């Protein structure tokens, strides 16, 4: 079993949100399927704040299949901004994650899903709430972008790579890394810096 090693780490969980390959218009089915797949996988709702974290970090999962459930968009943005724009702890790291990237330089660059995700998240959640890092998948590559106001890391390189790197045209976006190879992103850090 691929996840057996992680099961030995006390308190370790995979916090997930659905993507285009697992949604299939059955939200309740997705929730229960992933919860039953492994005791490590957690998805308490289609969008949610990850619970029981230390005071120095806050993580929020957003549902970016916005075309599939447009009625959810207003509710989740209100919930996300209520959680992430809370200024009681201004030193806290703020991270958000979802399936679709806000920007990307690969094969899905500028497609309808990316434009919907950008319209949904960039202003009201990522910029206005001061989110430091947005994590995404979907695009079949690895990429790190610095966007005016936040960092974005795409880790979608667990599938066959498609297309090529088309560097950002927007001067507010700086590409720090791009790779079409299979792989995983590993992050580290602690209170006080990236």
């Amino acid at each position: 079993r691929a996840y057996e090693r992680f099961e030995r780490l006390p308190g370790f969980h995979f916090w997930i949100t659905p993507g285009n390959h697992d949604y299939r218009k059955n939200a309740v089915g997705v929730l229960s399927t992933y919860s039953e797949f492994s005791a490590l996988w957690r998805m308490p709702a289609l969008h949610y704040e990850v619970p029981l974290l230390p005071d120095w970090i806050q993580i929020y999962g957003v549902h970016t299949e916005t075309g599939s459930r447009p009625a959810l968009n207003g509710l989740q943005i209100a919930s996300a901004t209520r959680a992430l724009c809370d200024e009681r702890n201004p030193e806290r790291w703020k991270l958000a994650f979802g399936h679709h990237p806000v920007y990307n330089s690969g094969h899905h660059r500028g497609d309808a899903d990316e434009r919907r995700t950008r319209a949904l998240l960039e202003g009201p959640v990522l910029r206005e709430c001061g989110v430091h890092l947005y994590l995404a998948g979907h695009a079949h590559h690895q990429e790190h972008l610095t966007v005016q106001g936040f960092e974005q890391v795409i880790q979608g390189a667990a599938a066959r790579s498609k297309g090529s790197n088309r560097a950002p045209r927007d001067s507010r976006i700086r590409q720090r890394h791009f790779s079409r190879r299979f792989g995983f992103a590993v992050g580290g850090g602690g209170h006080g810096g990236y």
Side-chain angles (χ1 to χ4, degrees):
R1 290 184 11 180
Y3 302 105
E4 192 172 281
R5 291 182 192 161
F6 294 107
E7 289 173 349
R8 294 184 214 138
L9 299 173
F12 181 87
H13 299 290
F14 291 100
W15 295 92
I16 60 173
T17 58
N20 57 302
H21 291 284
D22 36 26
Y23 192 74
R24 307 295 182 239
K25 300 194 187 301
N26 182 353
V28 174
V30 169
L31 288 168
S32 61
T33 299
Y34 279 113
S35 298
E36 292 173 11
F37 178 74
S38 168
L40 296 173
W41 292 55
R42 299 283 191 269
M43 188 169 72
L46 292 175
H47 61 93
Y48 57 91
E49 184 172 2
V50 175
L52 306 173
L53 294 174
D55 287 342
W56 59 268
I57 191 166
Q58 183 176 26
I59 303 175
Y60 200 95
V62 292
H63 181 261
T64 61
E65 285 299 310
T66 58
S68 302
R69 293 185 63 88
L72 180 63
N73 295 343
L75 172 64
Q76 80 163 326
I77 294 306
S79 297
T81 56
R82 190 169 38 257
L84 292 166
C85 288
D86 180 356
E87 291 299 322
R88 286 180 284 182
N89 187 349
E91 300 298 315
R92 176 186 307 198
W93 278 19
K94 296 178 182 182
L95 284 70
F97 67 94
H99 182 71
H100 290 284
V102 175
Y103 293 96
N104 95 85
S105 304
H107 138 125
H108 290 295
R109 175 174 148 178
D111 71 8
D113 289 322
E114 182 181 307
R115 289 190 311 270
R116 280 193 297 264
T117 301
R118 187 178 312 129
L120 182 72
L121 297 178
E122 185 175 20
V125 176
L126 301 177
R127 290 187 195 279
E128 291 177 25
C129 294
V131 170
H132 300 97
L133 176 64
Y134 178 68
L135 302 166
H138 185 66
H140 293 202
H141 64 269
Q142 297 174 342
E143 184 171 21
H144 176 190
L145 295 172
T146 297
V147 183
Q148 189 175 16
F150 64 95
E151 302 290 322
Q152 177 186 263
V153 172
I154 299 170
Q155 177 49 56
R160 190 181 84 227
S161 182
K162 297 178 180 180
S164 61
N165 180 16
R166 295 178 287 164
R169 288 176 264 171
D170 189 327
S171 63
R172 300 171 307 139
I173 304 168
R174 181 174 165 217
Q175 186 181 62
R176 295 179 173 266
H177 174 75
F178 185 95
S179 175
R180 293 178 53 197
R181 293 181 301 168
F182 287 122
F184 294 93
V186 177
H191 184 62
Y194 286 92

